[in-house]
Amino acid sequence: MNGAESLVRTLVAGGVDVCFANPGTSEMHFVAALDRVEGMRCVLGLFEGIVTGAADGYYRMKGTPASTLLHLGPGLANGLANLHNAKKANSGIVNIVGQHAVYHIEHNAPLTSDIEGLARPMSQWVRTSPSAKTVAADGAAAIAAASGAQAQIATLILPADTAWNEADGIAQVPAPEQRANFHAPAVDVAAKLAKEGETTLLLLTGSALTEQGLALAEQIAGKTGCKVISQTYNPRMARGQGRFFVERVPYVVDSALPVLKNFKNIVLIEANDPVAFFAYPNKPSVLKPEGCNVHRMTANGENSVAALEALASAVGAKPSDVKPQKHAELVKPTGALNHASIAAAIALGIPENGIVIDESITTGRGFFAPTAAAKPHDWLQNMGGSIGFSTPVATGAAVACPDRKVICMVGDGSAMYTPQSLWTQARENLDVTTVVFANRNYQILKGEFDNVGAGAMGSRALDMLTLDRPNLDWVSMAKGMGVPGVAVTTAEEFSKALDNANASQGPKLIEVIM
Ligand SMILES: Cc1ncc(C[n+]2csc(CCOP(=O)(O)OP(=O)(O)O)c2C)c(N)n1
């Protein structure tokens, strides 16, 4: 068995049985090993941002890592933006990058580069395997680093000769770290603060946004009167009928400040201290009001559900303390497409147990409240702000959950970063409906131009923020990649297109012309 085969066998034995790949010459022995080893599903992405984003979506839905296969420094570099997003989402990925044979590196061939240097900012764990004898053990260590409570981006660099030379066999994966429990004294402090009622905010993300975590937060809020809000962006949130609806801290600074202004205490449950996405002249970076105390109850990797159970018990909260919530009614929209009618159609179009990937940018800013009473679903957001995240993440989520429908909502500007996802969805027959909001603008940046005080917009500046000349034709692009598409211009047409998409399995695209 050569090194590549020892690695693939170690991956499969260690539970990493999906590999999102875009290989080159230095990875050919890994590719060859796929033919000899049963049990590895290999999914080709036609750009590395698809590969790394898909691995992020896979982890968020499955809770265990997939592997990638990337081609030297440039392949890794193409995938870095979505690795950045995945790292911010605390996703685990076994990120495998090919390298020249060790003896070839000194010759400075065209593809030679500092791969470790490129990997480090977007990986918490980086190792170059020194020989075919060590590849299996290094692969096992990468799996352990990408799994468990503190899942990481683990980049394993695989020189070509370590792949083709003779190996010793496969390696056992060390037991990953278990999710740490929580600190009881931190819960005691949170209990004291929660009892102060509406001047205390529980700020949630991570495992606190599971159905179970939210149900406990709802009981605590019902009993004590404290408020519960989620971070602006969250890796995954359980939402829809029967689940506790929580608002998010608004993205826009001027909207976030009034939401937070009356809190004397913020209890962080995996969440970060609320800060503005960007700095703006004469606006604060820190969004909490002056004098507000921040207390951390749990950090990423800790068991927030167990901590919320302890908090509920400390304040005496029970299921009967839950206060009923009134949600926006679901009504089929008619007439023109606008943010409200689009939201109403989406709310009815989310299928039972659906997975929603949200990169809707300005079109979707108001989607949360109107979709509160949609069928139960999970909602995934971009944690790192690098656009081009959603269609790859949708691809990986669909691979992870073949029995759930994925709805990917994406602005046309964002969708143009990683449109190749559609080809992978067609090839793998993934159940993804991509909804592109074709406003033919970088709409958000028009607002940001004002917000940073850039002055009056002239025609050359405007040209940098518009996507016209020519207009993008999403239905044709989808067709070219094997995905059937339809363009809609009214609310009725949009609802019908969503119903049609839900009526059958497989990838589809809806271009919402705004
Ligand atoms: C990798 C990367 N490049 C550029 C940006 C800056 N940026 C943020 S939003 C945006 C445009 C988004 O346009 P679209 O998806 O059409 O949504 P809209 O603003 O029109 O709602 C750009 C270019 C970014 N966030 N990430």
Side-chain angles (χ1 to χ4, degrees), residues 236-383:
R236 175 173 171 179
M237 182 192 276
R239 304 187 69 243
Q241 274 163 26
R243 282 145 173 200
F244 182 36
F245 170 73
V246 293
E247 284 288 359
R248 305 179 295 147
V249 176
Y251 169 88
V252 176
V253 172
D254 289 338
S255 309
L257 293 174
V259 168
L260 298 176
K261 81 169 193 295
N262 292 326
F263 293 119
K264 296 202 173 100
N265 296 291
I266 299 180
V267 175
L268 301 175
I269 305 181
E270 289 185 53
N272 296 322
D273 217 333
V275 295
F277 210 84
F278 290 103
Y280 302 93
N282 308 315
K283 288 189 184 166
S285 291
V286 173
L287 299 176
K288 70 188 165 207
E290 211 156 309
C292 174
N293 292 312
V294 175
H295 167 80
R296 178 164 293 288
M297 185 168 93
T298 55
N300 170 50
E302 289 188 306
N303 191 338
S304 295
V305 171
L308 284 162
E309 263 165 10
L311 179 57
S313 141
V315 300
K318 301 177 299 296
S320 56
D321 291 317
V322 164
K323 305 254 188 315
Q325 289 187 300
K326 206 168 154 28
H327 299 314
E329 247 180 273
L330 303 186
V331 182
K332 222 165 207 170
T334 55
L337 284 168
N338 51 44
H339 291 180
S341 64
I342 290 171
I346 299 264
L348 281 164
I350 295 173
E352 182 85 26
N353 209 23
I355 302 168
V356 175
I357 317 293
D358 179 8
E359 197 173 30
S360 54
I361 318 280
T362 56
T363 304
R365 269 209 189 131
F367 280 177
F368 244 50
T371 55
K375 298 196 175 91
H377 60 275
D378 284 303
W379 190 289
L380 280 58
Q381 290 174 296
N382 188 348
M383 302 305 296

Side-chain angles (χ1 to χ4, degrees), residues 361-363 385-387 411-414 417 439 441-445:
I361 318 280
T362 56
T363 304
S386 178
I387 60 175
D412 50 359
S414 300
Y417 283 68
N439 61 11
N441 274 293
Y442 283 165
Q443 188 60 38
I444 189 173
L445 298 184

Side-chain angles (χ1 to χ4, degrees), residues 10 94 125 127 135-147 152 154 171-174:
T10 297
V94 178
W125 185 103
R127 186 179 294 177
V135 164
D138 289 334
I143 296 172
S147 310
Q152 303 174 87
Q172 208 67 22
V173 179

